[in-house]
Amino acid sequence: MRPDVLRSRVAAWTAIAVLGFFGMAPVYWLLITAFTPAEDVFRFPPRLLPTELTLAHFSALAQNNQLFRYLVNSLLVALITAVLSVVVATYMAYSFSKFRYRGRRSLMNLVLASQMFPQAVLLITLYTVFSSFGLLNTYTALVLSFTTFTMPLCVWMLKGIFDTIPDALLEAAAIDGASRWRTLHTIVAPLAAPGMVAAALFAFVRGWNDFIFALTLADKEKQTLPPGLVNTYIGEFQTAWPQLMAASLVVSLPVVVAFMFLQRYLVGGLTAGAVKS
């Protein structure tokens, strides 16, 4: 092997190792803290390899009924957000991709520009609007607020996929007597299924991880896991780090499982619009 090739490979693997350590170190620390006895968590200097493991922190989670309510709220809100985002984004993306009308380009840029606003900027406006319509402390407020940030990216992701579907296929369906509605649902949607799954997974994770909207727009009965965990384990004078790490490990499992089962759809959906035929 030539020296220059060897040096480039060593540099590449070194960069991968450093980035991998940077990304996995917090995950490793979360794992060992969740299984470390409480009296050893704050030992100094800290131990990289715990000498004793315990499941006491996970047992404490099972006895907390409020955490189960937060879990149900997160699942409900995240699933509805994913479905609503994909359904609305599918129609919008199909319109942007396959139809030509006045104002189309401006609408596309407007949808893209909506991603530029930070959440905190829109939070006050959303709070005022939901309060006027009596939607505060409801699942509806959470779903609509989450969708405002998930739908724009879903639209552009699906538009890129619809652009790769040949117009000749749609014209052939029209010649056979298929309406535009039927063409979308029976021909275009099945072809774009991987992209729709990828968009739904993105929207689900976005709804699952949101903190600021769920904390502000919902009361304790409707809050999701992120603010629920903070309110449960982080206090004014003390933080229950072992229980918090155990809860964080448990609540991350649904997202990990979803990625494991849907990864082939995710990869296919993210790369489907990369090349235009």
Side-chain angles (χ1 to χ4, degrees):
M1 184 179 297
R2 295 189 318 224
D4 56 339
V5 176
L6 179 61
R7 286 194 297 269
S8 62
R9 290 191 176 183
V10 170
W13 282 108
T14 302
I16 292 175
V18 172
L19 293 176
F21 175 80
F22 180 79
M24 296 304 298
V27 178
Y28 173 75
W29 199 253
L30 181 148
L31 286 172
I32 64 173
T33 303
F35 290 98
T36 301
E39 59 273 11
D40 294 336
V41 170
F42 301 100
R43 183 187 299 271
F44 186 84
R47 295 177 178 176
L48 297 179
L49 295 175
T51 58
E52 183 180 354
L53 300 179
T54 181
L55 296 176
H57 309 315
F58 295 93
S59 300
L61 295 181
Q63 300 173 2
N64 193 333
N65 295 328
Q66 189 62 35
L67 288 181
F68 181 75
R69 178 182 294 275
Y70 293 147
L71 177 62
V72 173
N73 293 341
S74 291
L75 285 174
L76 180 63
V77 172
L79 286 174
I80 297 177
T81 299
V83 173
L84 180 62
S85 298
V86 171
V87 170
V88 177
T90 297
Y91 293 110
M92 292 183 64
Y94 186 71
S95 171
F96 291 155
S97 176
K98 298 303 180 183
F99 296 94
R100 300 295 181 267
Y101 48 87
R102 181 176 299 179
R104 167 180 164 273
R105 180 65 61 178
S106 299
L107 287 175
M108 293 171 56
N109 294 333
L110 181 62
V111 171
L112 183 62
S114 64
Q115 292 288 87
M116 300 171 56
F117 297 97
Q119 297 182 10
V121 173
L122 298 180
L123 181 59
I124 298 177
T125 302
L126 289 175
Y127 186 93
T128 303
V129 172
F130 291 146
S131 177
S132 301
F133 286 94
L135 295 177
L136 286 180
N137 304 324
T138 63
Y139 293 124
T140 303
L142 295 180
V143 170
L144 293 179
S145 61
F146 295 168
T147 305
T148 58
F149 285 93
T150 58
M151 192 174 61
L153 183 58
C154 291
V155 169
W156 277 89
M157 184 186 303
L158 293 178
K159 180 188 178 298
I161 296 174
F162 290 151
D163 287 343
T164 63
I165 299 177
D167 293 337
L169 186 62
L170 308 183
E171 294 171 358
I175 293 174
D176 290 337
S179 62
R180 292 179 176 178
W181 183 270
R182 184 176 181 182
T183 300
L184 172 60
H185 290 86
T186 61
I187 298 177
V188 177
L191 294 176
M196 296 172 68
V197 173
L201 187 57
F202 161 76
F204 178 86
V205 174
R206 173 65 180 79
W208 183 269
N209 292 334
D210 181 85
F211 176 80
I212 186 172
F213 284 157
L215 179 65
T216 307
L217 301 177
D219 58 7
K220 190 175 182 180
E221 296 299 319
K222 297 294 190 301
Q223 282 181 352
T224 56
L225 279 168
L229 294 180
V230 171
N231 292 333
T232 302
Y233 295 112
I234 298 181
E236 183 178 359
F237 302 104
Q238 186 178 7
T239 299
W241 289 111
Q243 292 84 357
L244 180 60
M245 296 299 102
S248 300
L249 179 61
V250 171
V251 301
S252 64
L253 291 180
V255 178
V256 174
V257 172
F259 271 99
M260 290 176 58
F261 282 98
L262 301 175
Q263 59 180 340
R264 65 188 185 96
Y265 295 102
L266 179 64
V267 175
L270 292 178
T271 58
V275 179
K276 185 175 181 180
S277 59

